[in-house]
Amino acid sequence: MPVIETKELTHIYLAGTPYEKKALNQVSLSINKGELFGIIGANGSGKSTLIQHFNGLLTPSCGTVRVYGKDTANRSCRNELWKKVGLMFQFPEQQLFASTVFDELAFGLKNMGLEGWEIENRVEEALLQVGLNPKEVIKVPPLGLSGGARRQVALACILAMRPTILVLDEPTAGVDPSASEHILKAIKKMQREQQATVVMVSHYVNDLIFLADKLAFLKEGRLLSYGDKKTVFRDMAQWDVNDLILPEHLKLMHRLAAYGLPVNTEILTLEEAAAEISRVMEEWARCER
Amino acid sequence: MREMITGQYIMGDSIIHCLDPRTKLIGCLVVIVVAVWPRQTITILLFNLAFIIIVIYFAEVGVGRVLRGLRSLKLIFLLTFICQVFLTRGDPLWSWGSIVITRQGIDLGINTFLRLLILFLSASLLTMTTSTLKISAGLESLLSPLKYLRFPVQQFAMIINIALRFIPTITEEAEHIVRAQKSRGAQFDSGSLSIRLRTVMALLIPLLAASLQRATDLAWAMESRCYTSDGQIYSRVYKLHFAQRDLIAMGVISIVLLLAIL
Ligand SMILES: Nc1ncnc2c1ncn2[C@@H]1O[C@H](COP(=O)(O)OP(=O)(O)OP(=O)(O)O)[C@@H](O)[C@H]1O
Ligand SMILES: [Mg+2]
């Protein structure tokens, strides 16, 4: 059963002004419960715009968005969505404001109407989840932490609210590998142990290649390909994707295919790529003989 | 941004857009001075308003868009009008208990309303048809005689330029933060005073932090490109030049001024 469903979703910024911008153009997709759904696309392709529709922060200019079967155009549904759909913005560490990490995490929890012990338990649990030591950081001002740790705190803020859908905008952009690993681990764990649905935006395809169950590829506001990872990667060979960071072996396969070699581009891992290349070469050798 | 900010620059190539920024600054100043001159009659104010509306028409920015900016100011307009009407003494027109409405009150109410309207329209027309770069170049050129009084004209123009330049950026940033905090359940529109205060802090602190960060970054960037504030002359991308159309525009403005004074 799809938990998020968009139908011909179109979003136009600044409609009716000279600065009008169509950021999304007729995007239809559905995301199933428990899936880890990856969205890839270059800068300005509309990824952030798309995911802000998932918790009702933006509403469609045209088309519909349904979350748990309810239309987000309905105001009262939209205003309750933040409890179920945890959305972490791009560079979320820029939105931290409280004087201690504890207060920072408690902000969302208090908004949910929780009190006392419940808040303390959840704060501790969320910090552990993202790989921080609660005893060390809980009394520190968030702005005093390193960039990576701040990103972890921002993720903890969302996790503490225990959303059933987790939406993340470039969670690993601009942090070091160790923080990035903690973040990805926490996300994966959340999906596996709490059966959460996860939507993750990234233009580091490397992050998503093993993690994601399904992928969507956006370009200039259009959904060019979506579904199984391998099909999406195969489809991507047809489009100019120089603006995306593809893993080297996928780039190689796409190049070979562009040269007209009969390689199968439905490939994920390095090993698969190697096997495919040797298969093609053997076939060649056989033909020459 | 969901909507455009009031008075945001709109690209165009209308007659008004092409005028020298100095002409527009002077024109704006003239209109404003006429409007705020003490004991101005309603006829002159109406005449002034008509002039502005004609200019808006020539600027091709859309009357509707200019008027839309008024929506956010309607409360101020209404309040000043009501205060003037009820609090001015004079010949009573109508009274109910201790509340008296006088003719002078109504006169003054309409008068103030028109003045505010003129101030708003002329200022937003200026910024809608002139890029910030041109406004600051025009200001700098108009203020340049003050150099002889050791007034730091260039720095002043640079400050104005930077301030104007960052209004849209900061608005956009504020909106971004509001959305981010909303997705953590911040209630910006409802709730008790203490909740409201907490949510406003959740907006103001990151906004302030980002602005300060941006200011330091900008300062470093300017210094690393050898910008100094000791009155060196820098060249500009926009060379201002006073064309024939500016002469004509100045002529029109003078006529309007003369008519207003007589
Ligand atoms: N608030 C806004 N007002 C006007 N235009 C906007 C706004 N937000 C985004 N846009 C425009 O919409 C388009 C899509 O933006 P979006 O932020 O969704 O892209 P993105 O895929 O998230 O890019 P990035 O990788 O840079 O985050 C861009 O061209 C952008 O300029
Ligand atoms: Mg984005």
Side-chain angles (χ1 to χ4, degrees), chain B residues 52-214:
Chain B
I52 293 177
I53 289 174
I54 292 171
V55 177
I56 291 178
Y57 175 75
F58 277 114
E60 293 167 13
V61 287
V63 180
R65 193 169 298 135
V66 182
L67 293 182
R68 217 172 304 149
L70 282 173
R71 269 190 318 203
S72 47
L73 292 176
K74 57 178 184 267
L75 204 63
I76 295 180
F77 281 106
L78 201 68
L79 275 182
T80 40
F81 183 74
I82 290 174
C83 286
Q84 297 285 11
V85 167
F86 286 108
L87 301 179
T88 313
R89 291 170 188 286
D91 318 330
L93 268 187
W94 183 83
S95 66
W96 188 72
S98 58
I99 301 172
V100 185
I101 294 180
T102 63
R103 215 187 51 217
Q104 281 86 344
I106 291 192
D107 249 18
L108 207 57
I110 295 176
N111 207 312
T112 325
F113 170 74
L114 286 176
R115 286 179 183 195
L116 284 177
L117 195 63
I118 289 170
L119 290 188
F120 171 79
L121 288 181
S122 53
S124 50
L125 191 61
L126 175 70
T127 52
M128 278 168 113
T129 58
T130 324
S131 70
T132 56
L133 217 55
K134 285 189 178 166
I135 290 185
S136 72
L139 266 182
E140 186 177 344
S141 154
L142 285 177
L143 294 178
S144 59
L146 291 180
K147 265 186 203 145
Y148 300 108
L149 300 173
R150 304 192 165 237
F151 182 78
V153 174
Q154 195 182 357
Q155 280 94 301
F156 182 72
M158 182 59 95
I159 291 171
I160 302 272
N161 191 5
I162 293 173
L164 291 175
R165 155 68 186 78
F166 278 102
I167 291 174
T169 316
I170 291 178
T171 328
E172 206 171 299
E173 180 128 10
E175 229 170 88
H176 186 80
I177 296 172
V178 165
R179 268 185 278 155
Q181 307 298 30
K182 266 190 188 164
S183 66
R184 289 164 69 188
Q187 293 151 6
F188 283 96
D189 38 10
S190 65
S192 68
L193 199 63
S194 74
I195 293 180
R196 199 94 164 236
L197 205 64
R198 204 169 65 206
T199 38
V200 169
M201 293 310 271
L203 165 64
L204 284 187
I205 291 176
L207 193 62
L208 198 64
S211 306
L212 290 177
Q213 184 61 49
R214 188 166 292 133

Side-chain angles (χ1 to χ4, degrees), chain A residues 47-49 90 169-170 201:
Chain A
K47 302 175 299 269
S48 303
T49 309
Q90 215 163 355
D169 198 349
E170 312 243 0
V201 167

Side-chain angles (χ1 to χ4, degrees), chain B residues 21 24 29 39 67 79 94 105 107 238 262:
Chain B
K24 284 187 267 187
L29 192 71
R39 285 191 292 278
L67 293 182
L79 275 182
W94 183 83
D107 249 18
Y238 286 109
L262 295 178

Side-chain angles (χ1 to χ4, degrees), chain A:
Chain A
M1 190 200 99
V3 286
I4 298 177
E5 205 175 7
T6 73
K7 278 219 177 75
E8 308 200 333
L9 164 61
T10 299
H11 191 90
I12 302 172
Y13 281 112
L14 299 169
T17 72
Y19 298 102
E20 189 169 291
K21 168 94 203 174
K22 206 176 216 175
L24 288 176
N25 197 348
Q26 308 242 329
V27 173
S28 305
L29 50 78
S30 63
I31 299 172
N32 292 325
K33 189 173 184 316
E35 237 168 31
L36 203 157
F37 191 91
I39 299 176
I40 49 184
N43 285 127
S45 55
K47 302 175 299 269
S48 303
T49 309
L50 176 61
I51 58 167
Q52 285 178 53
H53 283 85
F54 295 166
N55 77 341
L57 282 177
L58 296 179
T59 45
S61 309
C62 231
T64 55
V65 178
R66 284 172 180 279
V67 182
Y68 288 116
K70 285 186 190 141
D71 197 335
T72 61
N74 181 331
R75 198 192 176 89
S76 59
C77 292
R78 187 165 74 224
N79 288 344
E80 290 301 306
L81 267 183
W82 63 271
K83 291 178 193 162
K84 294 183 204 146
V85 186
L87 186 128
M88 186 168 96
F89 273 69
Q90 215 163 355
F91 304 113
E93 59 276 15
Q94 286 167 4
Q95 286 121 32
L96 301 179
F97 66 95
S99 46
T100 64
V101 168
F102 180 85
D103 289 344
E104 191 68 58
L105 268 75
F107 177 71
L109 299 174
K110 280 184 192 153
N111 287 333
M112 291 177 81
L114 300 178
E115 276 164 9
W117 278 111
E118 179 78 27
I119 291 186
E120 281 171 35
N121 286 340
R122 285 204 187 191
V123 166
E124 197 157 312
E125 187 194 298
L127 286 173
L128 283 173
Q129 250 176 310
V130 298
L132 290 171
N133 183 349
K135 285 199 192 69
E136 277 172 22
V137 296
I138 215 156
K139 289 213 173 68
V140 180
L143 297 179
L145 295 168
S146 73
R150 258 186 272 169
R151 180 74 57 88
Q152 283 163 284
V153 169
L155 179 61
C157 287
I158 304 293
L159 293 187
M161 301 200 290
R162 293 190 189 152
T164 50
I165 302 176
L166 189 60
V167 183
L168 307 148
D169 198 349
E170 312 243 0
T172 58
V175 297
D176 62 25
S178 105
S180 144
E181 194 178 317
H182 280 303
I183 289 168
L184 293 179
K185 233 187 233 165
I187 295 168
K188 191 73 199 169
K189 205 166 153 202
M190 177 93 181
Q191 183 211 6
R192 206 174 297 142
E193 289 176 7
Q194 301 180 24
Q195 281 83 47
T197 311
V198 181
V199 181
M200 185 169 146
V201 167
S202 185
H203 54 241
Y204 296 99
V205 178
N206 262 327
D207 278 353
L208 288 172
I209 197 163
F210 298 115
L211 220 54
D213 301 312
K214 275 193 187 165
L215 279 180
F217 172 48
L218 280 178
K219 190 174 169 101
E220 283 154 19
R222 287 178 175 279
L223 185 67
L224 290 191
S225 171
Y226 124 83
D228 185 59
K229 278 188 279 194
K230 288 188 179 179
T231 21
V232 172
F233 284 129
R234 187 199 60 205
D235 288 350
M236 277 167 80
Q238 309 162 19
W239 311 96
D240 173 30
V241 287
N242 285 335
D243 34 17
L244 279 181
I245 305 176
L246 280 184
E248 297 299 328
H249 61 275
L250 281 184
K251 269 193 208 163
L252 176 66
M253 297 307 280
H254 287 178
R255 274 287 173 77
L256 291 177
Y259 276 126
L261 291 186
V263 289
N264 181 3
T265 45
E266 271 194 37
I267 269 189
L268 282 187
T269 62
L270 187 59
E271 286 74 28
E272 281 173 352
E276 179 65 18
I277 290 177
S278 52
R279 182 187 69 79
V280 170
M281 284 176 67
E282 267 167 29
E283 232 162 64
W284 251 15
R286 219 180 299 138
C287 290
E288 293 204 344
R289 240 184 273 140

